[in-house]
Amino acid sequence: MNHVFQPLVSLATGKTVAYEALARPANGTPPDQLWREARVRAADEPYQNSLVRLEIDSWFSAVREARRRGYRRIFVNTVPAAVFDARFRRFLARVLRWSRRRRLMAVPELVENQGASPNTILAAVAALRRIGFRVMSLDDADDGMPLRVITGARTAYVKLGRRYMEEQPGVWASIAAAVQSYGGVVVAEALETPEHAAAAKTLGANLGQGWLWGKT
């Protein structure tokens, strides 16, 4: 598994504050397809086993490369269902200890687009906290995720997409306000122009991410 790293940038200062590790399978398979295929494996290779292998491979590659590059904070996409596997939790506990010793903050980013239910997302956040993670992120939180999940999870970062910002700016802003009410940081995704960044900042985003700062 390879990764490219897309910066997360402060909309107030323009400074890069973190990077998201975006998986790029070595065989060229699109990442979403690879994770989807893990869900339809044959009976002799259950989904959970395939998923856990993918997640461990992705995390290992991401933190190793981030360490090599000297990054201090990275976001790593994490499928909520994998968190309930004891093997993956043990692996993440080791990663957490390893990264802390090296002053690298690895932030699990829970991806909603893998079919996770609201209760699954909340349970995954609780499980990650028991491992020792205090800083987490919710991805695609504006893509049908109930507000009760966002405010119930209370992750340090919540990512909201540009498309919804353009289609439903009032709702987008209300979600951003709810996140900031508990001290969370709002990340606006898929920003491609200075105008996108300005609009996101006006609606309450703290950080921006997208091709404006780093094509992947």
Side-chain angles (χ1 to χ4, degrees):
M1 187 77 69
N2 299 317
H3 285 81
V4 295
F5 292 84
Q6 190 172 61
L8 280 71
V9 175
S10 167
L11 294 178
T13 67
K15 293 182 178 180
T16 296
V17 299
Y19 293 87
E20 180 180 350
L22 299 170
R24 295 293 183 264
N27 63 4
T29 303
D32 287 348
Q33 178 183 335
L34 191 66
W35 263 262
R36 281 196 305 270
E37 288 175 353
R39 306 182 69 150
V40 292
R41 296 292 191 187
D44 61 341
E45 190 179 359
Y47 161 65
Q48 193 71 7
N49 291 335
S50 302
L51 174 65
V52 169
R53 282 199 298 272
L54 276 174
E55 289 290 295
I56 289 175
D57 188 15
S58 180
W59 265 85
F60 180 79
S61 170
V63 296
R64 180 181 59 184
E65 181 61 17
R67 169 64 176 169
R68 188 187 70 81
R69 296 183 182 208
Y71 294 159
R72 291 301 186 189
R73 181 173 303 200
I74 62 165
F75 290 56
V76 185
N77 287 338
T78 305
V79 176
V83 178
F84 306 115
D85 188 284
R87 294 165 297 177
F88 188 44
R89 291 197 303 274
R90 288 194 295 269
F91 169 79
L92 287 179
R94 292 195 298 271
V95 168
L96 185 60
R97 292 192 296 270
W98 181 90
S99 59
R100 281 176 173 171
R101 288 197 299 269
R102 291 157 179 81
R103 297 183 180 179
L104 168 65
M105 178 177 286
V107 179
E109 181 167 312
L110 293 166
V111 289
E112 190 275 340
N113 62 4
Q114 293 296 325
S117 70
N119 287 340
T120 297
I121 294 171
L122 289 172
V125 169
L128 287 167
R129 287 198 171 108
R130 286 194 294 272
I131 293 171
F133 287 97
R134 295 293 176 262
V135 178
M136 288 171 274
S137 175
L138 282 182
D139 192 26
D140 296 325
D142 56 339
D143 190 15
M145 186 179 293
L147 186 60
R148 70 173 180 85
V149 175
I150 299 171
T151 56
R154 297 175 69 90
T155 56
Y157 297 90
V158 174
K159 292 190 173 184
L160 306 175
R162 189 193 86 229
R163 181 170 64 94
Y164 197 67
M165 178 184 78
E166 294 173 336
E167 293 175 355
Q168 299 284 342
V171 178
W172 201 97
S174 68
I175 297 172
V179 172
Q180 292 174 341
S181 71
Y182 69 75
V185 174
V186 177
V187 183
E189 293 188 289
L191 305 184
E192 298 180 359
T193 69
E195 291 75 21
H196 292 159
K201 183 179 178 182
T202 298
L203 291 174
N206 307 104
L207 306 179
Q209 181 180 355
W211 282 14
L212 177 59
W213 300 282
K215 291 190 176 184
T216 57

